[in-house]
Amino acid sequence: MKMKHMLPSFLAAACCLLALVSCRQEPDSGAGPVAPVDVKVYGKLAAVLGHGRKKLELVDPGSGKVVKSIRLSGKPNGMAIDGNTAYVAEGGPGGVVEVVALDTGTVKGAFPAGHTPMSPVVRNGKLYVAARFDSKIVEMDASSGKVLNSWPASREPVALAVSPDGKKIWAANHLPAGAANGDFTAAALTLVENGKAVHFPLANGTQGVRGMAVSPDGRYLAVAHVLSRYQMPTTQLDRGWMNTNAVTIMDTACPDRPHPVLLDDPDAGAANPWGVLFSPDGSRLLVTHAGTHELSIIDFPALLARMKKEDRAGNPVSERLGFLHDIRTRVRLPLNGPRALASDGENVYVTGYFSDTLAQVPLKADAVPRNIPLNAEYRPSRERLGEQYFNDASHCFQGWQSCATCHPDARVDGLNWDLLNDGMGNPKNTRTMFLSHRTSPVMSLGVRASAEVAVTAGFVHIQFMEPDGDLAACVNEYLKNMKEVPSPFLMAGHPSRPQTKETGCAQCHAPGVERGSLTESARRGREIFKTAGCVQCHPHPYFTTKELVATGTAKGLDEGRKILVPSLVEVWRTAPYLHDGRAKTLREAVTVHNRGDIRGKTSSLNDRELEDLVNYVQSL
């Protein structure tokens, strides 16, 4: 295929207008966004999973009409279809897989599936699920839901792939799992074979992993992710200076040799690759770009031939801009936020997470995509538009990245970055955006007076674009109203009762978010948190004093400088720890890296007390 844009300029402009609806619009009185998170082909229909509406809908692509709408119990995260049965992974803590009969539209049952189950796969009578925040792969009997096995993943498995014979189970882990202050930091794949789980790191700088697919013959894996150049100072964006976007190709017989292929062009980034899929005949590799609203259609045999021809003793020749020239078609889609995709061999169906639409893309050359509205009357709120803008790379110079590139889900990427707002040569670990608007000042050294100032500065100095007032205001609205994700270290089956009706507490633990109870160990740890003096810098409700403190951990160019006390809410998901990411775990942070008991009196604690303390902090 010749590399080109398949839509004329006027359609591209229409897409931009769709994505940039004015922030001044207020919420519709309807049921809110569909927020489609998955799509599968079911006969001649497209089965679309709506996270926002909690529905599974069967859509006729020809007419654009919903043939059947099935109400689900929880917010869905992904699905698998086996014959007339859909297995829908739903919810957060205490998540389930609902079993849905597509022919009758009835829900037949539900299986417990861990914290935020994702990417279900059915193979040979077995059901596999990635329990994202439990960092586990779960194997169940597909008919009864009985758990047969579970294996540890590396960190936040978000996608699964199972070989055709069912002998190899692959999990793609979202983020790096180690310390960030070394020369190598990368997310990993987990392979389960012969009952054992082994982790294989991807290329240095890999983070933001979203999608994975196995080829029809089971020989190759394709993994979509961001490839960050975190060792470079953030002085520019040209030619992927900060972040590039990739699909890693791996021969399943050689899992220790990941081969990243850049999806960007020299002057046009392909931000935030998300969904990845092989066509049914294996001839094409399909990748969605959630940040630039595009679909890459890659001639897969030609890609393999090029990789083999240019292999240089393991040197990733493909890790260069323009490697896909002439073997990839880059399709601009008439929607916003393409994530999931499916194919029937003739067409590709892509969901628009923010535009509430479905695109039908014919695979024949020069065909024009069709836009199928799923929620035509809905008008997004300012908060919803803010989330859209946060994920939209069209607000970045040449589309290299969005805010979500370094803050996936508005949290962390697990990397150290050398931002220029506090000097050069002193990299810091990425901080979460959660509660940032309630815990000013922000940044590790407190160099921004407020999160509002930091948002505008981020567009100017990280995305190299000047945001208009509405755009920044909407992003701030989204970040201010982010909901806490309850910790997997809580007892999800035993909801905690509200301890207070104070406004501050409600801001920290938002209404409508059901939190589990503390374990007995965490309850003991709460008392140690007080007696060890941790509470002095991390008081309720935000678990930070919002002050700059001499922690004794600053090194290099920052030696002697004070560090802003971070909030401990959701700290279970923000590893690595300390401002330079040197501590892989919380236990390391309070033991190995707390000499002299500067940050709490932990040196005298025995192993059980340390375990109790860490269990409490991980429950916040």
Side-chain angles (χ1 to χ4, degrees):
M1 292 183 180
K2 297 292 183 182
M3 182 177 173
K4 54 195 172 184
H5 290 289
M6 294 173 64
L7 283 179
S9 58
F10 74 91
L11 279 179
C15 177
C16 289
L17 288 173
L18 177 65
L20 299 176
V21 178
S22 171
C23 177
R24 296 186 179 89
Q25 291 177 308
E26 294 304 321
D28 184 84
S29 59
V34 172
V37 291
D38 204 357
V39 60
K40 294 288 187 289
V41 173
Y42 175 61
K44 295 184 178 181
L45 304 175
V48 180
L49 205 57
H51 182 80
R53 292 276 181 93
K54 296 196 289 189
K55 286 184 178 181
L56 195 171
E57 296 186 320
L58 301 181
V59 180
D60 179 0
S63 66
K65 294 182 178 180
V66 175
V67 175
K68 189 175 293 181
S69 183
I70 304 166
R71 171 66 66 180
L72 303 169
S73 298
K75 290 194 172 184
N77 307 314
M79 67 177 163
I81 293 180
D82 184 33
N84 288 322
T85 303
Y87 296 85
V88 184
E90 302 171 10
V96 301
V97 173
E98 278 200 306
V99 183
V100 181
L102 295 175
D103 50 353
T104 62
T106 58
V107 177
K108 298 192 294 183
F111 309 146
H115 195 317
T116 312
M118 301 184 71
S119 190
V121 176
V122 178
R123 187 78 78 238
N124 302 328
K126 294 180 180 179
L127 172 65
Y128 301 92
V129 179
R132 177 177 179 180
F133 293 124
D134 289 328
S135 288
K136 287 184 179 180
I137 304 161
V138 182
E139 178 188 64
M140 302 182 235
D141 179 84
S143 60
S144 67
K146 179 182 178 181
V147 174
L148 304 175
N149 283 296
S150 67
W151 300 275
S154 175
R155 181 180 181 183
E156 294 187 29
V158 292
L160 292 184
V162 182
S163 61
D165 61 9
K167 293 182 178 180
K168 293 183 178 181
I169 307 160
W170 297 90
N173 297 287
H174 183 49
L175 295 174
N181 63 337
D183 295 328
F184 187 93
T185 307
L189 298 184
T190 299
L191 167 63
V192 176
E193 188 175 19
N194 298 321
K196 296 181 179 180
V198 182
H199 311 305
F200 295 94
L202 294 166
N204 194 16
T206 297
Q207 58 94 2
V209 178
R210 291 293 185 180
M212 177 172 60
V214 63
S215 61
D217 61 4
R219 182 173 178 182
Y220 296 100
L221 275 181
V223 186
H225 59 87
V226 176
L227 193 59
S228 295
R229 315 295 173 173
Y230 65 93
Q231 294 172 325
M232 308 298 290
T234 56
T235 56
Q236 59 174 309
L237 289 176
D238 299 81
R239 301 182 67 85
W241 182 268
M242 285 190 212
N243 285 295
T244 48
N245 302 279
V247 58
T248 284
I249 308 300
M250 180 185 291
D251 187 325
T252 56
C254 305
D256 57 344
R257 291 192 63 189
H259 204 124
V261 176
L262 296 190
L263 297 160
D264 314 284
D265 293 323
D267 60 353
N272 303 347
W274 199 290
V276 59
L277 181 74
F278 286 93
S279 60
D281 63 0
S283 66
R284 295 178 177 91
L285 179 62
L286 312 163
V287 185
T288 58
H289 307 297
T292 52
H293 322 301
E294 296 170 301
L295 171 69
S296 279
I297 303 176
I298 303 168
D299 183 333
F300 190 63
L303 174 59
L304 292 177
R306 184 167 294 182
M307 289 166 59
K308 182 177 180 180
K309 179 181 178 181
E310 300 199 24
D311 183 41
R312 300 289 187 273
N315 184 41
V317 178
S318 59
E319 198 179 320
R320 72 174 185 217
L321 299 171
F323 187 79
L324 292 175
H325 180 67
D326 284 341
I327 62 172
R328 183 265 298 269
T329 301
R330 192 167 171 174
V331 183
R332 190 176 297 279
L333 298 169
L335 48 72
N336 190 285
R339 296 187 175 183
L341 73 169
S343 176
D344 58 10
E346 296 182 0
N347 299 285
V348 183
Y349 300 96
V350 185
T351 60
Y353 181 77
F354 292 110
S355 55
D356 275 2
T357 53
L358 179 70
Q360 182 185 44
V361 186
L363 283 172
K364 62 183 180 181
D366 300 318
V368 177
R370 284 182 58 236
N371 184 42
I372 303 171
L374 300 174
N375 192 13
E377 302 302 317
Y378 174 68
R379 296 295 179 269
S381 66
R382 294 171 64 85
E383 180 182 337
R384 178 70 174 170
L385 282 170
E387 183 182 5
Q388 174 181 317
Y389 298 152
F390 191 86
N391 286 269
D392 195 338
S394 65
H395 304 297
C396 174
F397 173 71
Q398 294 185 345
W400 289 104
Q401 57 197 31
S402 70
C403 305
T405 300
C406 296
H407 294 281
D409 303 318
R411 268 71 177 192
V412 304
D413 59 8
L415 303 176
N416 283 354
W417 287 98
D418 190 1
L419 304 184
L420 307 185
N421 53 30
D422 58 6
M424 187 181 291
N426 53 346
K428 307 286 194 307
N429 198 235
T430 303
R431 286 199 169 200
T432 180
M433 306 296 285
F434 181 60
L435 291 183
S436 59
H437 283 70
R438 308 189 192 282
T439 56
S440 298
V442 296
M443 318 301 287
S444 288
L445 300 181
V447 296
R448 300 296 185 206
S450 67
E452 286 83 357
V453 172
V455 165
T456 299
F459 278 106
V460 174
H461 300 295
I462 303 300
Q463 303 202 58
F464 291 80
M465 294 281 277
E466 189 76 38
D468 63 48
D470 281 349
L471 187 148
C474 286
V475 170
N476 283 313
E477 193 72 13
Y478 160 58
L479 296 176
K480 286 177 183 177
N481 290 285
M482 288 169 61
K483 297 291 189 293
E484 172 201 7
V485 175
S487 169
F489 296 94
L490 294 165
M491 295 190 293
H494 299 81
S496 62
R497 293 178 297 176
Q499 301 298 308
T500 176
K501 294 183 179 180
E502 292 179 9
T503 303
C505 196
Q507 291 171 344
C508 177
H509 305 302
V513 176
E514 189 171 278
R515 306 184 82 250
S517 301
L518 294 176
T519 64
E520 285 302 314
S521 173
R523 290 180 187 278
R524 293 193 299 267
R526 180 170 56 189
E527 297 309 309
I528 297 170
F529 188 80
K530 299 174 184 176
T531 58
C534 307
V535 71
Q536 293 179 12
C537 288
H538 299 284
H540 186 271
Y542 299 123
F543 295 90
T544 173
T545 57
K546 313 178 192 179
E547 296 176 350
L548 291 164
V549 175
T551 63
T553 59
K555 294 183 179 180
L557 297 179
D558 287 334
E559 187 169 359
R561 301 179 76 173
K562 294 182 177 181
I563 307 298
L564 185 66
V565 176
S567 169
L568 295 183
V569 180
E570 273 197 357
V571 72
W572 59 270
R573 69 180 296 189
T574 60
Y577 302 106
L578 304 181
H579 64 285
D580 60 356
R582 77 184 68 170
K584 178 181 178 180
T585 65
L586 283 169
R587 184 162 181 141
E588 283 186 17
V590 300
T591 56
V592 177
H593 303 293
N594 190 29
R595 293 180 180 177
D597 286 343
I598 295 178
R599 302 188 330 280
K601 298 176 181 179
T602 59
S603 62
S604 61
L605 300 178
N606 60 38
D607 284 344
R608 176 179 168 174
E609 290 169 330
L610 283 169
E611 182 180 2
D612 291 344
L613 174 62
V614 169
N615 285 342
Y616 171 64
V617 175
Q618 288 182 140
S619 300
L620 298 176

